Amino acid sequence: MGRDRAAVTGTTVSRSSRVLDVATAAVPLAFVTVLVVVPVVAVLDRGLDAGTLLDVFRRPALREVLWFSLWQALLSTALTVLGGLPLAAVLARRRFRGDGLVAAAVTAPFVLPTVVVAGAYVVAFDRLGVDPVGSVTAILAAHVFFNLAVVVRTVGSAWAALDPRLDEAARTLGASRARTFLTVTLPALRPALLSAAAIVFLFCFTSYGVVLILGAPTRATLETEIYRYAITRLDLPTATALAVVQLATVVAVLGVGSRLGRGSGAGTGRLTGAVVGRTLDTRRPFASGRDRLLGTVVVVVTLCYLALPLASLVIRSFTADGRFTVEHYRALADPLSLLPVTPLAAMVNSLEFAVVAAGVAVLVGGAAALAAAGGGRPGRVVDVLVVLPLGVSAVTIGLGMLIGLDEPPLDLRSSWWIVPLAHAVVGAALVLRIVVPALRAVGRRVHDVASTLGASPGRLRLTVDLPIAARAVAVGASFAFAVSLGEFGATSFLARRPDQLTAPLAIYRLLSRPGETLQGRAAALGVVLMVATLTVVVVADRWAERRGGWTP
Amino acid sequence: MRYLTALITAAIVVVAVSGCGDDDTPAPGDEAARACFSAPGTDPVRPATDDLAPPDRLTLLTHDSFAVSEGTLEAFTETTGIEIEVRQLGDTGQLVSEAVLTADQPLGDVLYGIDSTFLCRGLSAGLFQPVALDELESVPAELRLDPHDRVVPIDYGDVCVNYWVDAFAGEDPPASLTDLTDPAHAGRFVTENPETSSPGLAFLLATIAAFGEDGWQDYWSALRDNDVEVTSDWTSAYYGSFVAGGGDRPIVTSYATSPVAEVVFADPPVAAPPTAVLTDSCFRQVEFAGVLAGTAHPEAAATLVAFLLSPTFQADIPLNMFVYPARSDVDPPPVFLEHAPEVADPLVLEPAAIEVHRDEWTDTWAEIVLR
């Protein structure tokens, strides 16, 4: 792009544009180096000990953990894909009143804090009289809950973008509905399916809060064991070895998934908004009474699956001794000996961290997006590095920060800032992923026109790129905020000071002790956290929608 | 994607070439055990509150079972002018782990609640600085497990198997550890997970002390075959599955002083405790306190530790935490002497041995019992 600009406007512009490229890339690069590269290298450094690595495969207990992590993730992925396909089909192919709302409702669970959802399943299973702890069913159910959105969105977008005439041609030639699906639609959807499956596998494999609350102590995955070995046992060699094994598996799976998923039209970018075809809305209204019935059943069943655990959590938060009461909410401001600060104070901490984290994420992610969209080598490096945290588990990052950032001048681990900065690491990656497609869509011609009219590259960025990307930035910021509110894995490692207790940590501690009252308090705090998360995401999405104009 | 793989490969190569980094956290294993009782190398701190900048508050780190009567801690404030802030960090294991992880920027000034099972973890990590206290003269020598007084004993107790007397009317109640594997008592015993519960760990160590390193696994297999229930903490066991809390299991791993608690908290009052103790299953636990090495006010912190060993505090311990005061010149209250069993010969294990093998023992235990 620099060269094109040079061709139009002369070499001076291209040189300063390169300087600007490097400058915009410098901020995210510095951020990522300190907060991602140093921790990951610290973990690799300790964990790449041949002896302890082999031990992971030699010790039966650890082999079992690895095996369980793998098969529960594979099974969760399979169930999520199967569970999400029907709704993806309905949303991609049918237009009906409320389809936007249904799409939004399916996405909502994705942004919810894992601790809240796990808590909701504990309450829901309790109600059914089944002991949820150690239950693989509960873990799988919670995983499906979270990740339906990924399948519905990714596969749905790709499906909606398929040319319906292929299907129609097959039907005209005599293929049954089922045969058409299997031989025409499914192969065309394969890249999107595999891409969605890879992402869902990644999330289930590195799942922390869900397994910790619903699985411990009988069921453990690599993620929960990394924490246990590092913090409870103070056995860093084993913890880092587990982290390396986990990282290697994730890289392998992502590599395989990306290779198989190449050619998918749907990226991971947009996760909000209605599912519409990119060029043409190919959706039709329901064809017949039977069609409508089928569609309704699919939508209702899926939405019920998502709503029921949350409903039982809300009900639990208003129940004590079998009666309706608001005492759990009132008591959120009361001190509990179990927690260093009141639950309300923990919620305030979470909000403070979220604001700071979202701010940093927008700055870093925005700069990274500008650099990445600008093209060139610094842009590509930034793109890869900033997104790296999405593939590394939260626990590994937290562990890495704990062991890597312990010496001056990088001794951040005792500072209040380490928690929001750790949150911003994932937030920046999300902002980048959401803003880059927006910037890329701006179009070279707009830039060229503005340059011809005399705008410097800096002015271009400010007056052309930023406003157009503002909507994407708002969405990115809201996601970064939501992620920070719900972050649990990395925060468990890093929040050692009493004033760093966050709402998810408080909920976890309340759930880890038996007792009706504590469970009620946890439910109330969970509902507050859930409402905060959803409000931010919904408001930001609505605001961005209203500003209108260009849609990514 | 290629860049990602290339970057990770590059990182691995760089790390492999640069060799191992330094490791400043204590390694589990023999080195830790040896480090446990080696000399601290710093001079002991004497209690004093008249240094140049006395603090107006000291933070006491402890576990969730810490309890004192109202006014007891205020007595310290009255004599020294220093307020005590109590921070509870979880169970004993979590307390010690947190302290080790934040050793360079400690969360408090004094730590109370490290017990004999985690003693070496704290000592090897250099958590404490030695103290010189006159009060130690009143403490029996067998409780002073640290020869360098980096931690001082504050109280001791026994973890023992308890049973509900009435559940065994007409039959012989269990009288020894082996009886718990008797099919006659199948499905009656509930204990706690040694990884997440201090009494659970103590009971596991008791079985290791009783049956030896070669015999304890078979014992636990037999317990498992006899339908033992395992909960994650003492509260779920005692107040959940045990008869005292409304459950259906009449045998539980608890404390030697649990029958005393049953009498003290009984409403309406009872003449005799409803539970009894299997004295052959008792494992001795000593609890210690120490001045944290990184504290800004070592002398004042030493004064707080001395206060924990003072007759005022020591006399307050039994009816709040249901353990025995370490000072031999402070008698527990009469209700203790009346209803607590005489544990003449509790099971013990060397703290260093516990530190070396604890993880391996709990791993093996988990494999036998949980999987």
Side-chain angles (χ1 to χ4, degrees), chain A residues 290-321:
Chain A
R290 198 186 86 137
D291 198 35
R292 179 182 294 271
L293 180 65
L294 211 55
T296 316
V297 166
V298 165
V299 169
V300 167
V301 167
T302 318
L303 289 184
C304 277
Y305 182 80
L306 296 176
L308 282 176
L310 299 179
S312 48
L313 185 73
V314 172
I315 295 174
R316 184 66 186 83
S317 72
F318 284 109
T319 315
D321 296 327

Side-chain angles (χ1 to χ4, degrees), chain A residues 449-490:
Chain A
V449 167
S451 304
T452 332
L453 292 173
S456 68
R459 186 133 180 236
L460 260 176
R461 299 264 158 96
L462 253 119
T463 56
V464 177
D465 290 338
L466 269 182
I468 291 178
R471 176 187 173 177
V473 167
V475 172
S478 72
F479 268 89
F481 190 94
V483 161
S484 166
L485 273 186
E487 214 290 321
F488 182 55

Side-chain angles (χ1 to χ4, degrees), chain A residues 65-91:
Chain A
V65 165
L66 175 59
W67 176 230
F68 178 68
S69 310
L70 277 170
W71 75 252
Q72 65 82 18
L74 284 168
L75 192 51
S76 301
T77 309
L79 289 171
T80 313
V81 168
L82 285 172
L85 268 180
L87 189 59
V90 171
L91 284 177

Side-chain angles (χ1 to χ4, degrees), chain A residues 107-463:
Chain A
T107 314
F110 189 71
V111 300
L112 288 181
T114 53
V115 177
V116 169
V117 172
Y121 271 91
V122 167
V123 167
F125 271 66
D126 249 2
R127 201 171 253 277
L128 294 172
V130 177
D131 184 8
V133 175
S135 156
V136 180
T137 319
I139 295 176
L140 294 174
H143 284 168
V144 171
F145 177 97
F146 271 114
N147 296 302
L148 270 178
V150 175
V151 171
V152 170
R153 284 291 174 214
T154 316
V155 176
S157 308
W159 206 328
L162 286 184
D163 190 341
R165 290 173 295 181
L166 287 172
D167 274 24
E168 285 163 20
R171 300 294 311 281
T172 335
L173 290 170
S176 68
R177 218 184 267 270
R179 186 142 178 226
T180 317
F181 177 73
L182 285 172
T183 57
V184 178
T185 324
L186 215 47
L189 285 178
R190 208 183 64 131
L193 272 172
L194 287 170
S195 161
I199 297 170
V200 173
F201 178 87
L202 168 66
F203 286 139
C204 295
F205 188 63
T206 59
S207 164
Y208 181 63
V210 167
V211 179
L212 194 63
I213 294 178
L214 295 172
T218 28
R219 295 289 184 181
T221 54
L222 288 174
E223 191 83 346
T224 59
E225 290 294 86
I226 292 171
Y227 181 90
R228 201 167 67 87
Y229 276 89
I231 303 286
T232 315
R233 289 199 171 186
L234 293 179
D235 180 359
L236 283 179
T238 310
T240 44
L242 290 173
V244 167
V245 169
Q246 189 196 55
L247 186 58
T249 315
V250 163
V251 168
V253 168
L254 280 184
V256 166
S258 126
R259 191 144 304 164
L260 292 174
R262 204 170 285 158
S264 153
T268 52
R270 293 235 43 225
L271 288 172
T272 56
V275 174
V276 289
R278 289 186 80 82
T279 48
L280 187 67
D281 191 353
T282 54
R283 301 176 304 160
R284 305 234 165 80
F286 286 112
S288 65
R290 198 186 86 137
D291 198 35
R292 179 182 294 271
L293 180 65
L294 211 55
T296 316
V297 166
V298 165
V299 169
V300 167
V301 167
T302 318
L303 289 184
C304 277
Y305 182 80
L306 296 176
L308 282 176
L310 299 179
S312 48
L313 185 73
V314 172
I315 295 174
R316 184 66 186 83
S317 72
F318 284 109
T319 315
D321 296 327
R323 325 171 318 262
F324 175 85
T325 170
V326 292
E327 77 172 67
H328 293 308
Y329 287 92
R330 256 203 285 259
L332 286 180
D334 295 337
L336 274 169
S337 61
L338 200 55
L339 305 173
V341 294
T342 65
L344 189 62
M347 188 67 220
V348 169
N349 282 345
S350 284
L351 287 169
E352 280 175 2
F353 285 143
V355 168
V356 173
V360 173
V362 162
L363 270 168
V364 172
L370 281 176
R377 193 126 357 118
R380 276 205 292 275
V381 171
V382 165
D383 196 358
V384 169
L385 276 184
V386 173
V387 172
L388 182 60
L390 288 181
V392 178
S393 79
V395 159
T396 308
I397 293 188
L399 174 65
M401 286 183 184
L402 193 72
I403 60 180
L405 298 178
D406 61 344
E407 266 168 60
L410 292 177
D411 187 5
L412 290 171
R413 68 173 181 174
S414 336
S415 139
W416 178 92
W417 284 87
I418 193 63
V419 172
L421 285 176
H423 294 178
V425 160
V426 174
L430 287 176
V431 168
L432 174 67
R433 268 262 161 262
I434 294 174
V435 172
V436 159
L439 284 178
R440 288 221 173 102
V442 166
R444 194 174 300 173
R445 250 192 265 157
V446 179
H447 267 208
D448 290 348
V449 167
S451 304
T452 332
L453 292 173
S456 68
R459 186 133 180 236
L460 260 176
R461 299 264 158 96
L462 253 119
T463 56

Side-chain angles (χ1 to χ4, degrees), chain A residues 41 45, chain B residues 11-21:
Chain A
V41 167
D45 186 21
Chain B
I12 292 177
V13 168
V14 162
V15 159
V17 162
S18 69
C20 298

